[in-house]
Amino acid sequence: QVQLEESGGGLVQAGDSVSLSCAASGLTVKSYVLGWFRQVPGKEREFVASISWSGAITPYEDSVKGRFTISRDNALDTVYLQMHNVKPEDTAVYYCAAKYRFANQYGHWGQGTQVTVLP
């Protein structure tokens, strides 16, 4: 059974840094693109960042470029999201996801972790 479990997040002040982790089990992560998404109530889930199996390709959503960094450790089956200079508009539930590298869509999702940024 595939499981993605996020950790980190919480309540922070604007300008702080936040680190999120997502541990995967039940799959061979090096065969998957790993990504982070976020969602606020009343809005659709949006893409934040993703990372290819090798780590060479890391697209970001425009509003987080230069502030967030995605990375992965295939040996630990873990993907990370380092968030710097966070803003109130970064407040959301953050989800990690896995997409088999030949698939069109993300097929596995975590339960999410809340990040709340106070002004």
Side-chain angles (χ1 to χ4, degrees), residues 76-89:
L76 296 178
D77 296 332
T78 301
V79 60
Y80 307 94
L81 187 68
Q82 301 288 332
M83 306 164 60
H84 300 291
N85 189 26
V86 294
K87 304 175 180 181
E89 51 263 42

Side-chain angles (χ1 to χ4, degrees), residues 2-42:
V2 175
Q3 286 190 320
L4 300 175
E5 185 171 359
E6 302 95 340
S7 60
L11 189 64
V12 297
Q13 297 288 137
D16 284 352
S17 295
V18 180
S19 295
L20 304 181
S21 299
C22 174
S25 60
L27 53 80
T28 305
V29 294
K30 66 180 181 181
S31 296
Y32 287 78
V33 172
L34 302 175
W36 287 96
F37 293 73
R38 64 187 180 186
Q39 188 172 25
V40 298

